[in-house]
Amino acid sequence: MRYNYGQTRGGWRRALVGVIPGGLLHMGYLTRSDFLRLSGLATAGICAQALLSSCSPGTTTPAATTAAEAPGTDGVKMGVSIWSSTDPLGALSVDIIRQAANALGAEVVVVDHAYVPERVTASVETLAAAGCDGIVVCNATNAEMASIIRSCDDNDVYVTQFYRHIREDGQEAGPTGVRALAEASRRYVGAVHGDEAACGVALMQALLEKGGPSGGGARHVGLVGWVEGDVAFQQRLGGLQQALDEWNAAHPDDTATLFDPIYAGLTAGGGARAVESLANAHLDMDALVVAGGGGDPLVGALGWLERAGRVGQVSVVACDFPDDLADRLASGEVLMAAGGDLCDPLFALVLTYQAVTGKLIVSEGDLGRELVVPHVHVSDAEGYAAFEASFLDRPPCSDDEVRGLADLSFEGLRERAEDLVQDRAVAGDN
């Protein structure tokens, strides 16, 4: 999934030619991320060699436009702690954050953590040490948030979660749990996340009703996760199980089974190995849920099914949108994809910016602000084309609209998020 803004239509690529001196067009197609880095660095007069460096786990990426260069700047530096800034979803999320930060005149520093617990917490410490005023973080588990909140409190840095939130069950709800830390914190802003359980319900319903080799419904469902214990995965799993239980209760003579998950990590190779393990362990598997991981595990899983001659025998649903999803849907390789509307990182950045600049007051005694956004479901090439036009070919908001968001109250932001998602979901959902 790319935030391409005219990669196939040429708009952003053509704009680049007049901005950067020659010698870089051999890089092939230029994503929006490439454009932002190129244009920002060209404005600053930095040599083009810096463009060739990539962000690996535990490393930082400089801002596309620094605060000193942006109009109306107030010197705000924002940090981004993310699993990857290079896989399809991660790169897109960083692009969204950079565009919004640039509109607000803020500098951005990015650290990848690969969902390794030690790296997740270390990434926040690194960003705090780099002088960030606020941080947006996509963590994996609730346990990591305890260390993150303590670090941000100690360093007077605001922090907001995106694609994740603090659950209300188990140890997290106790008097010494992470919820108590969040409520006592004056730096934990809140969370912007999707309804992951609803996403799981939709995926399972699609398989039970339309999956399987005959299209009459799958009954033996494999599951590929990415990191064991991840909050979003657990919630998606809950939704999958809920839909399965409801089906089985209503159809006692036609029950279905969800197999225990295999974890793929964040790579295509991991996805291929996971589906191979499931297929070998469950010879009757007629459906597969690839529940996330940024997009690469799905690519690997589909590749293994193709090599094994199982396309058409195993129905696949997924939570990520690879670049060729339209073709995968048209060919029947993918039955349905349910993904986020991509507003999570944008609104997390805006909330954090508001806290840093004093527009939003963070006080003790509550769990912070929470924005919940729905997912978008696509099940055919036409639906994906509508999704692409609504979400990928243009940013969620223009620069002027981003600046307008920063002036809204929290309730205003909530209403704007709901309106934005609803308007675009109508175009992208089928």
Side-chain angles (χ1 to χ4, degrees):
M1 180 167 56
R2 286 188 297 270
Y3 213 4
N4 51 35
Y5 300 119
Q7 175 197 326
T8 57
R9 300 165 177 80
W12 281 69
R13 285 190 296 170
R14 292 193 188 108
L16 177 66
V17 176
V19 175
I20 300 296
L24 293 176
L25 297 183
H26 70 278
M27 294 165 64
Y29 72 76
L30 291 166
T31 66
R32 173 170 170 76
S33 179
D34 295 326
F35 175 81
L36 286 173
R37 281 195 292 269
L38 288 168
S39 60
L41 290 170
T43 303
I46 301 175
C47 68
Q49 180 62 35
L51 303 171
L52 304 179
S53 62
S54 61
C55 188
S56 59
T59 63
T60 60
T61 302
T65 303
T66 66
E69 299 159 1
T73 179
D74 55 10
V76 172
K77 181 183 287 189
M78 304 296 290
V80 182
S81 171
I82 192 168
W83 70 94
S84 171
S85 57
T86 58
D87 74 12
L89 179 59
L92 175 56
S93 301
V94 171
D95 288 345
I96 291 171
I97 290 170
R98 287 193 187 283
Q99 182 257 341
N102 184 67
L104 296 172
E107 181 180 355
V108 174
V109 182
V110 178
V111 179
D112 294 359
H113 55 59
Y115 283 136
V116 177
E118 296 81 5
R119 290 181 178 176
V120 174
T121 55
S123 69
V124 173
E125 294 171 357
T126 298
L127 292 167
C132 291
D133 303 291
I135 296 171
V136 293
V137 57
C138 180
N139 59 294
T141 68
N142 274 5
E144 295 160 356
M145 285 307 299
S147 296
I148 289 171
I149 291 170
R150 290 191 188 98
S151 179
C152 289
D153 282 344
D154 291 343
N155 290 280
D156 293 327
V157 178
Y158 291 97
V159 61
T160 307
Q161 295 173 271
F162 67 100
Y163 298 139
R164 299 292 185 273
H165 71 290
I166 296 174
R167 297 184 309 186
E168 298 183 6
D169 57 332
Q171 293 293 327
E172 293 82 2
T176 60
V178 66
R179 284 178 59 84
L181 287 173
E183 290 172 354
S185 172
R186 295 182 63 86
R187 293 295 178 265
Y188 178 73
V189 179
V192 185
H193 62 94
D195 189 340
E196 307 295 353
C199 178
V201 168
L203 292 175
M204 181 59 77
Q205 288 176 341
L207 288 175
L208 294 174
E209 296 171 5
K210 302 177 183 179
S214 67
R219 299 294 180 265
H220 308 281
V221 184
L223 176 60
V224 175
W226 61 100
V227 177
E228 188 171 4
D230 184 275
V231 172
F233 174 75
Q234 293 297 327
Q235 292 172 330
R236 290 173 190 171
L237 175 57
L240 292 168
Q241 191 65 54
Q242 175 188 332
L244 183 76
D245 291 344
E246 291 173 353
W247 173 273
N248 288 342
H251 305 84
D253 297 326
D254 186 24
T255 59
T257 301
L258 176 64
F259 303 129
D260 290 339
I262 300 292
Y263 295 96
L266 302 175
T267 67
R273 289 188 293 272
V275 69
E276 181 179 19
S277 296
L278 285 165
N280 290 337
H282 308 286
L283 300 180
D284 56 353
M285 183 176 74
D286 58 2
L288 179 70
V289 180
V290 182
D296 289 341
L298 174 60
V299 172
L302 292 173
W304 187 89
L305 290 172
E306 183 177 3
R307 292 190 297 273
R310 301 291 298 276
V311 175
Q313 300 176 23
V314 177
S315 299
V316 178
V317 296
C319 293
D320 289 309
F321 288 55
D323 295 335
D324 59 352
L325 181 59
D327 294 335
R328 304 280 194 179
L329 289 165
S331 68
E333 293 176 83
V334 175
L335 178 66
M336 188 179 81
D341 53 70
L342 311 176
C343 294
D344 305 39
L346 166 64
F347 281 88
L349 180 88
V350 170
L351 281 172
T352 312
Y353 180 86
Q354 287 186 332
V356 169
T357 57
K359 172 68 175 180
L360 178 66
I361 304 301
V362 179
S363 58
E364 298 179 22
D366 61 51
L367 193 58
R369 276 69 171 181
E370 182 178 22
L371 289 177
V372 182
V373 293
H375 284 85
V376 175
H377 308 149
V378 294
S379 57
D380 56 34
E382 291 74 18
Y384 181 77
F387 169 83
E388 185 177 44
S390 295
F391 292 94
L392 303 186
D393 289 345
R394 57 192 175 102
C397 293
S398 69
D399 288 357
D400 286 342
E401 288 172 331
V402 170
R403 287 187 282 269
L405 292 179
D407 289 332
L408 293 177
S409 66
F410 176 71
E411 288 305 318
L413 279 177
R414 186 195 300 278
E415 293 173 2
R416 182 68 183 106
E418 292 174 353
D419 291 344
L420 179 64
V421 172
Q422 183 178 21
D423 291 345
R424 294 201 172 190
V426 168
D429 194 357
N430 64 330

